[in-house]
């Protein structure tokens, strides 16, 4: 049995890139939406959360309309000879879009739990909005942000539908672990599929368990300082 490990390296590369981008994008948008009280808040929040409830294939189709050869972004990039479709960059974009709502909603929930008096005190002392965000809001909401990051990582790692539509299944180039599982199953290579299932299960569980233990450690540390 010839076993190709390339889907693991591609998945890790795609997942780490997408999670990193979602981390900074998610906490920034979550902070903006936490402070935005306008009449369009419900609509904007709904749009940002939409990929969470839509089938991944719908998200993939939407991405395809944007960055495909005939899409506005794809058509513009083609002028410079750049083609994103069926590349690992397309897999990253798919993972970002599908996993973003997890990072955004979980982080926003953490921001909303912050005592407004803490933020007001920081502003009263002359802290700029950037300092209030990075030095007050983010540290206080750190447990929630950590949980959001872990969930986002796991979701990016397991992304399948949108990835298959925009990146395809090119061995050694765009074939991620979920895609490898699907095609191994379709071709009757159940042993290979099982190995990949065990690998992705182990990676996802490890990330979540580490995050849980880290949260417990921080809580115990805070209780110790409080005592």
């Amino acid at each position: 049995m010839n076993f190709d490990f390339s889907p693991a390296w591609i998945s890790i590369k795609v997942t780490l890139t997408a999670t990193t981008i979602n981390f900074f994008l998610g906490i920034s948008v979550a902070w903006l939406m936490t402070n935005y009280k306008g009449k369009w808040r419900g609509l904007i929040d709904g749009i940002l959360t939409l990929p969470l409830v839509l089938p991944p294939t719908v998200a993939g189709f939407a991405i395809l309309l944007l960055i495909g050869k005939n899409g506005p972004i794809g058509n513009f990039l083609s002028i410079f000879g750049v083609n994103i479709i069926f590349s690992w960059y397309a897999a990253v974009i798919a993972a970002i879009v599908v996993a973003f709502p997890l990072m955004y909603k979980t982080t926003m929930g953490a921001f909303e739990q912050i005592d407004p008096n803490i933020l007001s005190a920081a502003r009263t002392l002359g802290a700029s909005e950037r300092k209030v965000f990075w030095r007050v809001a983010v540290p206080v909401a750190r447990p929630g942000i950590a949980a959001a990051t872990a969930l986002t990582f796991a979701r990016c790692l397991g992304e399948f539908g949108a990835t298959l539509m925009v990146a395809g299944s090119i061995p050694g180039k765009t074939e991620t672990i979920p895609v490898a599982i699907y095609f191994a199953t379709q071709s009757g290579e159940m042993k290979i599929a099982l190995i990949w299932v065990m690998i992705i299960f182990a990676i996802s569980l490890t990330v979540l368990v580490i995050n849980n233990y880290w949260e417990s450690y921080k809580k115990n540390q805070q209780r110790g300082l409080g005592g």
Side-chain angles (χ1 to χ4, degrees):
M1 178 180 67
N2 294 323
F3 192 79
D4 180 16
F5 280 98
S6 64
W9 315 133
I10 294 170
S11 284
I12 292 172
K13 179 171 66 172
V14 168
T15 300
L16 289 177
T17 304
T19 302
T20 301
I21 294 172
N22 264 337
F23 174 82
F24 291 103
L25 185 63
I27 63 174
S28 300
V29 175
W31 180 246
L32 290 173
M33 288 300 295
T34 300
N35 292 286
Y36 176 65
K37 307 299 180 184
K39 63 179 181 178
W40 301 106
R41 190 177 194 276
L43 176 62
I44 297 171
D45 181 71
I47 294 173
L48 293 173
T49 313
L50 201 56
L52 189 64
V53 296
L54 286 176
T57 49
V58 174
F61 182 74
I63 296 170
L64 203 58
L65 290 178
L66 289 174
I67 67 174
K69 290 178 66 177
N70 297 320
I73 298 176
N75 192 31
F76 173 76
L77 292 176
S78 64
I79 299 175
F80 306 98
V82 177
N83 180 34
I84 299 177
I85 294 297
F86 300 121
S87 68
W88 80 277
Y89 299 107
V92 170
I93 293 172
I96 289 172
V97 171
V98 174
F100 172 79
L102 281 173
M103 188 72 212
Y104 159 68
K105 288 296 282 187
T106 309
T107 302
M108 189 165 71
F111 283 150
E112 289 175 342
Q113 296 301 313
I114 300 175
D115 186 350
N117 294 323
I118 298 176
L119 302 176
S120 297
R123 294 186 178 104
T124 301
L125 292 171
S128 64
E129 284 301 315
R130 179 177 295 182
K131 287 185 177 179
V132 170
F133 175 63
W134 284 112
R135 297 189 181 182
V136 180
V138 171
V140 173
R142 186 169 51 190
I145 294 174
T149 305
L151 291 173
T152 300
F153 179 93
R155 184 65 188 87
C156 289
L157 183 66
E159 166 49 33
F160 170 71
T163 300
L164 188 61
M165 289 197 69
V166 300
S169 177
I170 305 173
K173 187 177 179 183
T174 66
E175 188 180 46
T176 59
I177 294 178
V179 174
I181 292 171
Y182 174 78
F183 282 101
T185 304
Q186 290 295 304
S187 60
E189 298 175 326
M190 303 305 290
K191 290 184 178 179
I192 293 178
L194 181 60
I195 291 172
W196 282 125
V197 167
M198 293 173 65
I199 290 174
I200 197 169
F201 178 86
I203 295 173
S204 298
L205 183 62
T206 299
V207 170
L208 295 175
V209 169
I210 290 174
N211 178 69
N212 290 338
Y213 276 111
W214 184 83
E215 284 186 19
S216 298
Y217 169 75
K218 286 296 181 181
K219 286 180 181 178
N220 293 332
Q221 195 177 45
Q222 288 175 357
R223 287 171 187 167
L225 292 173

